[in-house]
Amino acid sequence: MSTSHKTTSTRLWVMPTLIVLGAVIALVAVFFWGRSTATTEADSQPPAAQQETEEAETVPPEIVEQVIRRDAEDPLAVGQTDAPVVMVMFSDYQCPFCGRWTAETLPEMQQFVDAGELRIEFRDVNMYGEDSRRAASASVAAAEQGEFTDYHARLFDGGETLDGFSAEALTDIAAEMGMDTDQFQADMDSEKTAEIVQTNEQLGQELGATSTPSFIINDTPVVGAQPADVFIDAVEEALANTQE
C-alpha cells in the first residue's frame, strides 16, 4: 500500500461526521453521564450487584455506526475488522481504573480476539489534560511501529499509571522496547497523529464518555472497570445475538 493511499484512508476515519449526530449523540451522553454515578456506587458492591447495576440500555444504531469503525488503517485497534463483536474503550492513560482494567480484564478479552470473535478499538479521551494527550500521541507512534499493544500496557505500568508522561520518558520506554526512537519522535509529533488524538478525544467528549473507562460493546454501553466476568458475559451475549 502506498503512503499516499494509507494517509487518505486514515483521514477518512479520523474526520468523523459528528455534526450530523445531533440529538442522537445526546441520548448516548445520557447513557454515560447517567451511569457514571451508579458505577461509582457499584464499586463497593459485590460482582453480582455490579453486574446488575451495569445492565445497560441499547445504543441507537446511528451512534454505533459512528463509534465502531472497523477500519484496517486504525492504529489503535486489535482484532479482525470483520469480528462479529466490537468493543470500543474510552480511556485515559492517567486513569487508575483504566490501568486496572488493562491489567486484569484485557488479558481475559484476548481469548475472544485470538478466536476472531472480538475486535477492540481504543479511544483516548485525555480528560486529565496535556500529559494524557502526550501519552495518547505516544501510543499512536508506537502503533506505527507495530508495538501498540505492548506499549499501551507499559504506559499503565501493570495496572498503576506512570508518574510522568514527559516526551523524554515516553521516548525512553520506546527505546527500552527496541523501537526506532527517531521515527517514534517524528510520528509522535506528526500532524497525522495529532488528528487521530484530537478526533478520538472529541468523539469521547461528544458522547459524554468522561467517566473512564467507558465502553460500547456492539450496541451496549458499560461504564467502569467492572469485573472481567461482566465483560465476558457481555461479549458472549453479543456473540449469541449475532447468530440469531
Side-chain angles (χ1 to χ4, degrees), residues 78-96:
V78 296
Q80 299 176 10
T81 57
D82 61 351
V85 180
V86 179
M87 172 191 294
V88 177
M89 178 182 184
F90 295 95
S91 61
D92 190 298
Y93 281 113
Q94 294 191 84
C95 165

Side-chain angles (χ1 to χ4, degrees), residues 149-181:
T149 301
D150 290 341
Y151 193 82
H152 176 81
R154 283 291 299 275
L155 290 189
F156 284 122
D157 198 23
E160 297 293 334
T161 54
L162 296 174
D163 291 333
F165 286 125
S166 67
E168 181 179 2
L170 293 165
T171 303
D172 285 346
I173 296 173
E176 292 170 9
M177 294 178 61
M179 289 186 235
D180 180 332
T181 54

Side-chain angles (χ1 to χ4, degrees), residues 174-195:
E176 292 170 9
M177 294 178 61
M179 289 186 235
D180 180 332
T181 54
D182 289 338
Q183 185 62 50
F184 178 87
Q185 291 174 331
D187 288 333
M188 188 173 167
D189 296 333
S190 72
E191 179 182 350
K192 173 186 172 183
T193 294
E195 288 179 349

Side-chain angles (χ1 to χ4, degrees), residues 94-240:
Q94 294 191 84
C95 165
F97 298 105
C98 300
R100 187 176 75 183
W101 189 90
T102 299
E104 298 176 0
T105 303
L106 181 56
E108 297 289 336
M109 297 295 99
Q110 191 62 41
Q111 62 180 313
F112 296 103
V113 174
D114 294 341
E117 298 172 328
L118 176 67
R119 175 177 173 84
I120 306 177
E121 300 179 351
F122 298 88
R123 313 286 161 75
D124 299 306
V125 297
N126 308 321
M127 59 185 294
Y128 293 105
E130 197 57 39
D131 282 353
S132 297
R133 196 167 293 112
R134 193 180 302 110
S137 299
S139 72
V140 176
E144 292 292 343
Q145 298 190 45
E147 298 288 350
F148 169 71
T149 301
D150 290 341
Y151 193 82
H152 176 81
R154 283 291 299 275
L155 290 189
F156 284 122
D157 198 23
E160 297 293 334
T161 54
L162 296 174
D163 291 333
F165 286 125
S166 67
E168 181 179 2
L170 293 165
T171 303
D172 285 346
I173 296 173
E176 292 170 9
M177 294 178 61
M179 289 186 235
D180 180 332
T181 54
D182 289 338
Q183 185 62 50
F184 178 87
Q185 291 174 331
D187 288 333
M188 188 173 167
D189 296 333
S190 72
E191 179 182 350
K192 173 186 172 183
T193 294
E195 288 179 349
I196 292 171
V197 171
Q198 181 180 8
T199 298
N200 286 342
E201 180 178 335
Q202 181 181 1
L203 179 62
Q205 291 173 350
E206 292 282 351
L207 294 177
T210 54
S211 177
T212 54
S214 291
F215 305 83
I216 292 180
I217 303 173
N218 273 10
D219 62 357
T220 301
V222 178
V223 177
Q226 304 298 318
D229 286 348
V230 172
F231 292 91
I232 291 173
D233 289 347
V235 171
E236 289 179 343
E237 181 177 354
L239 283 170

Side-chain angles (χ1 to χ4, degrees), residues 16-34 58-67 90 199 201-209 216 221:
T17 56
L18 293 174
I19 297 176
V20 302
L21 300 183
V24 183
I25 278 183
L27 293 176
V28 177
V30 169
F31 287 147
F32 282 132
W33 288 332
T58 299
V59 176
E62 296 92 332
I63 292 295
V64 173
E65 292 176 3
Q66 294 295 324
V67 173
F90 295 95
T199 298
E201 180 178 335
Q202 181 181 1
L203 179 62
Q205 291 173 350
E206 292 282 351
L207 294 177
I216 292 180

